[in-house]
Amino acid sequence: MAAEKTQAIVLKVVEFSETSCVVTLFTEDFGKVGALAKGARRPKGPFEGAIDLLAFIRIVFLRKSSDSLDLLTEAKLERRFRSAQRDLARLHAGYYVAELLTELTERGDPHPALFQAAEGTLLALDSGAPLAETIVRFETVALREVGHLPSLDACVVCGRPVAGSRRVPFDMTAGGVLCENCRPGRRGVVSVSGQVIDALRAMGAEGSAGASPSQSIAPAIHGELRAVLNNYFAHLVGHRLRMSESLGGPANN
Ligand SMILES: [Zn+2]
């Protein structure tokens, strides 16, 4: 049983006993980790308040076999997610980041670039960066990292270029735009405006470096953009993301 050291973001905390809890962490070096934190609920426990939702922490943990929980032995708080005390919309956006990390990644599958992006996103939310853009940018980084960035320039079925027109058919299941030949007979296809495709393309082109997005999303297309992304994530993970409704845009799409 090896003791591993890494940085982590706290995604979920569940009470386990009177004194202990089970934490889900997204770690820099080991991906998602589920660990038992003994004594975490004691007032003067061994983790000194580090087990806090969306906190950025340094940990030492013992890796167990694949089907049992790891054991958290040390956790040191580096930074709390401060939006939690200040702004409900930003708090919800933080929860949404945690939900995306939980749903899109597997235990023990490291994504260091996604970890960096998540850390940068939580910092950006805390420092007042534009909310809608910060989230869409994190979503595009996450999608790229897990290999599901939608095809926006070429037909997702045949690869032929799809020219930017007023509205473009988008296949939610295949994950991208469709050409006129491939459109007929396919299910799960929605019509998406060219501006939304352009906005997604621009966000995707920004890469993951830096904390604040340089693109801005026109308010007129934000609702449609959210509807498309919420729908796409729902297809990807098999259910609607709980926090997606709190991100603005139409509630039921
Ligand atoms: Zn095609």
Side-chain angles (χ1 to χ4, degrees):
M1 213 164 45
E4 308 282 10
K5 219 183 242 192
T6 187
Q7 311 190 87
I9 295 166
V10 181
L11 300 183
K12 194 175 174 188
V13 184
V14 177
E15 292 179 8
F16 179 74
S17 70
E18 224 164 277
T19 57
S20 304
C21 54
V22 171
V23 291
T24 304
L25 306 168
F26 189 61
T27 70
E28 182 168 34
D29 301 309
F30 307 93
K32 198 165 61 181
V33 163
L36 181 62
K38 286 183 184 168
R41 304 189 59 218
R42 263 192 260 121
K44 289 199 169 163
F47 305 115
E48 297 169 62
I51 309 298
D52 189 31
L53 202 59
L54 294 168
F56 186 76
I57 62 181
R58 283 180 190 280
I59 63 165
V60 178
F61 71 104
L62 297 175
R63 294 178 89 180
K64 297 288 186 78
S65 63
S66 58
D67 56 347
S68 63
L69 286 170
D70 296 327
L71 187 65
L72 195 66
T73 56
E74 288 175 37
K76 187 173 173 292
L77 180 69
E78 290 285 313
R79 198 175 52 247
R80 247 177 246 292
F81 181 57
R82 290 176 300 139
S83 298
Q85 279 94 45
R86 295 194 303 213
D87 182 330
L88 196 61
R90 283 169 191 270
L91 173 64
H92 286 166
Y95 288 164
Y96 180 68
V97 168
E99 190 179 11
L100 278 182
L101 293 171
T102 304
E103 295 284 351
L104 293 179
T105 67
E106 302 294 329
R107 276 176 72 173
D109 179 23
H111 287 279
L114 182 55
F115 180 85
Q116 307 282 341
E119 189 200 356
T121 299
L122 294 174
L123 260 178
L125 290 173
D126 264 352
S127 59
L131 191 54
E133 288 82 357
T134 299
I135 288 302
V136 175
R137 190 166 122 168
F138 178 69
E139 289 171 308
T140 57
V141 172
L143 287 171
R144 185 184 299 112
E145 270 291 312
V146 300
H148 286 289
L149 197 63
S151 176
L152 300 170
D153 298 301
C155 172
V156 67
V157 175
C158 73
R160 215 169 286 153
V162 174
S165 56
R166 225 170 56 78
R167 298 195 76 82
V168 186
F170 185 102
D171 188 321
M172 285 288 164
T173 312
V177 296
L178 293 168
C179 73
E180 282 172 21
N181 294 339
C182 298
R183 164 75 185 84
R186 296 189 69 88
R187 291 185 183 183
V189 178
V190 298
S191 166
V192 177
S193 72
Q195 293 119 291
V196 164
I197 298 291
D198 287 345
L200 282 172
R201 195 184 288 126
M203 284 293 178
E206 282 206 347
S208 52
S212 291
S214 59
Q215 306 283 336
S216 61
I217 298 166
I221 64 160
H222 184 235
E224 187 190 356
L225 179 63
R226 282 281 18 121
V228 170
L229 282 168
N230 293 353
N231 197 347
Y232 185 57
F233 280 109
H235 273 80
L236 202 55
V237 306
H239 60 90
R240 220 155 242 290
L241 294 177
R242 216 161 38 88
M243 295 312 299
S244 63
E245 314 257 306
S246 62
L247 298 171
N252 297 301
N253 270 281

mmCIF file of all heavy atoms in Angstrom, residues 44-70:
data_model
loop_
_atom_site.group_PDB
_atom_site.id
_atom_site.type_symbol
_atom_site.label_atom_id
_atom_site.label_comp_id
_atom_site.label_asym_id
_atom_site.label_seq_id
_atom_site.Cartn_x
_atom_site.Cartn_y
_atom_site.Cartn_z
ATOM 1 N N LYS A 44 -11.688 18.990 16.405
ATOM 2 C CA LYS A 44 -10.249 19.207 16.227
ATOM 3 C C LYS A 44 -9.633 17.988 15.555
ATOM 4 O O LYS A 44 -8.652 17.424 16.022
ATOM 5 C CB LYS A 44 -9.601 19.523 17.575
ATOM 6 C CG LYS A 44 -10.011 20.904 18.032
ATOM 7 C CD LYS A 44 -9.108 21.477 19.071
ATOM 8 C CE LYS A 44 -9.464 22.965 19.226
ATOM 9 N NZ LYS A 44 -8.986 23.582 20.398
ATOM 10 N N GLY A 45 -10.224 17.612 14.436
ATOM 11 C CA GLY A 45 -9.778 16.421 13.717
ATOM 12 C C GLY A 45 -8.457 16.647 13.002
ATOM 13 O O GLY A 45 -7.906 17.750 13.016
ATOM 14 N N PRO A 46 -7.992 15.606 12.352
ATOM 15 C CA PRO A 46 -6.658 15.643 11.746
ATOM 16 C C PRO A 46 -6.574 16.484 10.465
ATOM 17 O O PRO A 46 -5.479 16.713 9.971
ATOM 18 C CB PRO A 46 -6.367 14.165 11.438
ATOM 19 C CG PRO A 46 -7.714 13.530 11.319
ATOM 20 C CD PRO A 46 -8.635 14.293 12.224
ATOM 21 N N PHE A 47 -7.698 16.929 9.928
ATOM 22 C CA PHE A 47 -7.635 17.611 8.636
ATOM 23 C C PHE A 47 -7.863 19.122 8.729
ATOM 24 O O PHE A 47 -7.861 19.821 7.732
ATOM 25 C CB PHE A 47 -8.617 16.971 7.652
ATOM 26 C CG PHE A 47 -8.403 15.486 7.508
ATOM 27 C CD1 PHE A 47 -9.370 14.593 7.912
ATOM 28 C CD2 PHE A 47 -7.221 15.004 6.980
ATOM 29 C CE1 PHE A 47 -9.164 13.220 7.798
ATOM 30 C CE2 PHE A 47 -6.998 13.636 6.862
ATOM 31 C CZ PHE A 47 -7.973 12.735 7.269
ATOM 32 N N GLU A 48 -8.069 19.598 9.918
ATOM 33 C CA GLU A 48 -8.146 21.036 10.192
ATOM 34 C C GLU A 48 -8.985 21.828 9.195
ATOM 35 O O GLU A 48 -8.528 22.803 8.614
ATOM 36 C CB GLU A 48 -6.738 21.634 10.255
ATOM 37 C CG GLU A 48 -5.907 21.044 11.387
ATOM 38 C CD GLU A 48 -4.439 21.452 11.243
ATOM 39 O OE1 GLU A 48 -4.189 22.658 11.290
ATOM 40 O OE2 GLU A 48 -3.588 20.568 11.084
ATOM 41 N N GLY A 49 -10.177 21.362 8.953
ATOM 42 C CA GLY A 49 -11.086 22.115 8.091
ATOM 43 C C GLY A 49 -10.752 22.080 6.618
ATOM 44 O O GLY A 49 -11.285 22.857 5.840
ATOM 45 N N ALA A 50 -9.862 21.169 6.208
ATOM 46 C CA ALA A 50 -9.487 21.105 4.790
ATOM 47 C C ALA A 50 -10.561 20.433 3.946
ATOM 48 O O ALA A 50 -10.629 20.644 2.733
ATOM 49 C CB ALA A 50 -8.157 20.359 4.633
ATOM 50 N N ILE A 51 -11.393 19.602 4.599
ATOM 51 C CA ILE A 51 -12.411 18.863 3.847
ATOM 52 C C ILE A 51 -13.618 19.772 3.663
ATOM 53 O O ILE A 51 -14.605 19.679 4.381
ATOM 54 C CB ILE A 51 -12.817 17.569 4.590
ATOM 55 C CG1 ILE A 51 -11.572 16.767 4.976
ATOM 56 C CG2 ILE A 51 -13.746 16.724 3.745
ATOM 57 C CD1 ILE A 51 -10.740 16.291 3.812
ATOM 58 N N ASP A 52 -13.513 20.650 2.690
ATOM 59 C CA ASP A 52 -14.527 21.670 2.464
ATOM 60 C C ASP A 52 -14.833 21.658 0.968
ATOM 61 O O ASP A 52 -13.904 21.639 0.152
ATOM 62 C CB ASP A 52 -13.928 23.027 2.900
ATOM 63 C CG ASP A 52 -14.958 24.121 2.919
ATOM 64 O OD1 ASP A 52 -16.139 23.827 3.189
ATOM 65 O OD2 ASP A 52 -14.583 25.274 2.637
ATOM 66 N N LEU A 53 -16.100 21.668 0.608
ATOM 67 C CA LEU A 53 -16.487 21.531 -0.795
ATOM 68 C C LEU A 53 -15.773 22.555 -1.681
ATOM 69 O O LEU A 53 -15.754 23.753 -1.373
ATOM 70 C CB LEU A 53 -18.007 21.698 -0.901
ATOM 71 C CG LEU A 53 -18.643 21.084 -2.147
ATOM 72 C CD1 LEU A 53 -18.372 19.589 -2.225
ATOM 73 C CD2 LEU A 53 -20.137 21.344 -2.150
ATOM 74 N N LEU A 54 -15.152 22.063 -2.733
ATOM 75 C CA LEU A 54 -14.453 22.863 -3.745
ATOM 76 C C LEU A 54 -13.162 23.509 -3.248
ATOM 77 O O LEU A 54 -12.563 24.330 -3.943
ATOM 78 C CB LEU A 54 -15.377 23.928 -4.349
ATOM 79 C CG LEU A 54 -16.536 23.339 -5.167
ATOM 80 C CD1 LEU A 54 -17.563 24.422 -5.492
ATOM 81 C CD2 LEU A 54 -16.036 22.690 -6.443
ATOM 82 N N ALA A 55 -12.736 23.129 -2.041
ATOM 83 C CA ALA A 55 -11.447 23.638 -1.547
ATOM 84 C C ALA A 55 -10.317 23.003 -2.343
ATOM 85 O O ALA A 55 -10.426 21.888 -2.845
ATOM 86 C CB ALA A 55 -11.291 23.312 -0.064
ATOM 87 N N PHE A 56 -9.237 23.751 -2.441
ATOM 88 C CA PHE A 56 -8.024 23.274 -3.088
ATOM 89 C C PHE A 56 -7.084 22.830 -1.965
ATOM 90 O O PHE A 56 -6.738 23.627 -1.098
ATOM 91 C CB PHE A 56 -7.416 24.427 -3.893
ATOM 92 C CG PHE A 56 -6.239 24.036 -4.711
ATOM 93 C CD1 PHE A 56 -6.408 23.328 -5.890
ATOM 94 C CD2 PHE A 56 -4.957 24.368 -4.312
ATOM 95 C CE1 PHE A 56 -5.311 22.953 -6.658
ATOM 96 C CE2 PHE A 56 -3.858 24.004 -5.070
ATOM 97 C CZ PHE A 56 -4.041 23.294 -6.249
ATOM 98 N N ILE A 57 -6.726 21.546 -1.959
ATOM 99 C CA ILE A 57 -5.977 21.005 -0.814
ATOM 100 C C ILE A 57 -4.766 20.188 -1.272
ATOM 101 O O ILE A 57 -4.695 19.762 -2.429
ATOM 102 C CB ILE A 57 -6.888 20.114 0.085
ATOM 103 C CG1 ILE A 57 -7.408 18.894 -0.688
ATOM 104 C CG2 ILE A 57 -8.059 20.911 0.623
ATOM 105 C CD1 ILE A 57 -8.331 17.975 0.116
ATOM 106 N N ARG A 58 -3.828 20.001 -0.357
ATOM 107 C CA ARG A 58 -2.713 19.070 -0.575
ATOM 108 C C ARG A 58 -2.959 17.851 0.280
ATOM 109 O O ARG A 58 -3.257 17.991 1.464
ATOM 110 C CB ARG A 58 -1.390 19.719 -0.157
ATOM 111 C CG ARG A 58 -0.897 20.703 -1.164
ATOM 112 C CD ARG A 58 0.415 21.346 -0.753
ATOM 113 N NE ARG A 58 0.680 22.442 -1.652
ATOM 114 C CZ ARG A 58 1.197 22.279 -2.873
ATOM 115 N NH1 ARG A 58 1.548 21.082 -3.286
ATOM 116 N NH2 ARG A 58 1.376 23.311 -3.667
ATOM 117 N N ILE A 59 -2.814 16.692 -0.316
ATOM 118 C CA ILE A 59 -3.174 15.483 0.435
ATOM 119 C C ILE A 59 -2.086 14.412 0.384
ATOM 120 O O ILE A 59 -1.247 14.398 -0.513
ATOM 121 C CB ILE A 59 -4.491 14.849 -0.101
ATOM 122 C CG1 ILE A 59 -4.335 14.391 -1.561
ATOM 123 C CG2 ILE A 59 -5.642 15.811 0.046
ATOM 124 C CD1 ILE A 59 -5.436 13.452 -2.031
ATOM 125 N N VAL A 60 -2.162 13.530 1.377
ATOM 126 C CA VAL A 60 -1.448 12.256 1.332
ATOM 127 C C VAL A 60 -2.525 11.200 1.537
ATOM 128 O O VAL A 60 -3.384 11.344 2.405
ATOM 129 C CB VAL A 60 -0.381 12.150 2.444
ATOM 130 C CG1 VAL A 60 0.309 10.795 2.398
ATOM 131 C CG2 VAL A 60 0.622 13.290 2.332
ATOM 132 N N PHE A 61 -2.503 10.173 0.695
ATOM 133 C CA PHE A 61 -3.503 9.118 0.871
ATOM 134 C C PHE A 61 -2.895 7.758 0.564
ATOM 135 O O PHE A 61 -1.887 7.647 -0.138
ATOM 136 C CB PHE A 61 -4.746 9.388 0.012
ATOM 137 C CG PHE A 61 -4.545 9.214 -1.475
ATOM 138 C CD1 PHE A 61 -5.039 8.090 -2.131
ATOM 139 C CD2 PHE A 61 -3.884 10.176 -2.217
ATOM 140 C CE1 PHE A 61 -4.880 7.929 -3.507
ATOM 141 C CE2 PHE A 61 -3.704 10.028 -3.599
ATOM 142 C CZ PHE A 61 -4.203 8.897 -4.244
ATOM 143 N N LEU A 62 -3.523 6.745 1.139
ATOM 144 C CA LEU A 62 -3.082 5.371 0.908
ATOM 145 C C LEU A 62 -4.001 4.747 -0.122
ATOM 146 O O LEU A 62 -5.222 4.732 0.041
ATOM 147 C CB LEU A 62 -3.147 4.566 2.212
ATOM 148 C CG LEU A 62 -2.227 5.049 3.347
ATOM 149 C CD1 LEU A 62 -2.489 4.231 4.614
ATOM 150 C CD2 LEU A 62 -0.760 4.931 2.932
ATOM 151 N N ARG A 63 -3.415 4.262 -1.189
ATOM 152 C CA ARG A 63 -4.227 3.653 -2.253
ATOM 153 C C ARG A 63 -4.561 2.217 -1.887
ATOM 154 O O ARG A 63 -3.703 1.430 -1.526
ATOM 155 C CB ARG A 63 -3.456 3.679 -3.565
ATOM 156 C CG ARG A 63 -3.228 5.077 -4.054
ATOM 157 C CD ARG A 63 -2.420 5.050 -5.319
ATOM 158 N NE ARG A 63 -3.288 4.940 -6.476
ATOM 159 C CZ ARG A 63 -2.827 4.891 -7.728
ATOM 160 N NH1 ARG A 63 -1.543 4.894 -7.967
ATOM 161 N NH2 ARG A 63 -3.670 4.820 -8.733
ATOM 162 N N LYS A 64 -5.845 1.924 -2.007
ATOM 163 C CA LYS A 64 -6.293 0.561 -1.718
ATOM 164 C C LYS A 64 -6.564 -0.139 -3.041
ATOM 165 O O LYS A 64 -6.417 0.450 -4.111
ATOM 166 C CB LYS A 64 -7.576 0.605 -0.873
ATOM 167 C CG LYS A 64 -7.385 1.259 0.481
ATOM 168 C CD LYS A 64 -6.569 0.356 1.397
ATOM 169 C CE LYS A 64 -6.464 0.892 2.811
ATOM 170 N NZ LYS A 64 -7.657 0.684 3.617
ATOM 171 N N SER A 65 -6.988 -1.373 -2.974
ATOM 172 C CA SER A 65 -7.315 -2.102 -4.203
ATOM 173 C C SER A 65 -8.471 -1.390 -4.903
ATOM 174 O O SER A 65 -9.202 -0.616 -4.293
ATOM 175 C CB SER A 65 -7.685 -3.539 -3.869
ATOM 176 O OG SER A 65 -8.844 -3.546 -3.071
ATOM 177 N N SER A 66 -8.646 -1.704 -6.161
ATOM 178 C CA SER A 66 -9.541 -0.907 -6.998
ATOM 179 C C SER A 66 -10.984 -0.850 -6.493
ATOM 180 O O SER A 66 -11.692 0.105 -6.768
ATOM 181 C CB SER A 66 -9.521 -1.447 -8.425
ATOM 182 O OG SER A 66 -9.909 -2.797 -8.413
ATOM 183 N N ASP A 67 -11.440 -1.860 -5.748
ATOM 184 C CA ASP A 67 -12.855 -1.864 -5.378
ATOM 185 C C ASP A 67 -13.123 -1.346 -3.968
ATOM 186 O O ASP A 67 -14.246 -1.400 -3.491
ATOM 187 C CB ASP A 67 -13.464 -3.265 -5.563
ATOM 188 C CG ASP A 67 -12.705 -4.311 -4.777
ATOM 189 O OD1 ASP A 67 -11.591 -3.997 -4.305
ATOM 190 O OD2 ASP A 67 -13.212 -5.438 -4.639
ATOM 191 N N SER A 68 -12.093 -0.846 -3.283
ATOM 192 C CA SER A 68 -12.390 -0.270 -1.969
ATOM 193 C C SER A 68 -11.900 1.173 -1.895
ATOM 194 O O SER A 68 -11.124 1.621 -2.728
ATOM 195 C CB SER A 68 -11.758 -1.124 -0.864
ATOM 196 O OG SER A 68 -10.360 -1.109 -0.988
ATOM 197 N N LEU A 69 -12.377 1.860 -0.899
ATOM 198 C CA LEU A 69 -12.026 3.275 -0.747
ATOM 199 C C LEU A 69 -10.560 3.437 -0.359
ATOM 200 O O LEU A 69 -10.019 2.634 0.392
ATOM 201 C CB LEU A 69 -12.883 3.892 0.365
ATOM 202 C CG LEU A 69 -14.335 4.167 0.045
ATOM 203 C CD1 LEU A 69 -15.075 4.528 1.327
ATOM 204 C CD2 LEU A 69 -14.464 5.279 -0.986
ATOM 205 N N ASP A 70 -9.948 4.475 -0.874
ATOM 206 C CA ASP A 70 -8.610 4.833 -0.412
ATOM 207 C C ASP A 70 -8.736 5.445 0.985
ATOM 208 O O ASP A 70 -9.839 5.768 1.437
ATOM 209 C CB ASP A 70 -7.973 5.833 -1.370
ATOM 210 C CG ASP A 70 -7.749 5.222 -2.754
ATOM 211 O OD1 ASP A 70 -7.473 4.015 -2.826
ATOM 212 O OD2 ASP A 70 -7.874 5.963 -3.743
#
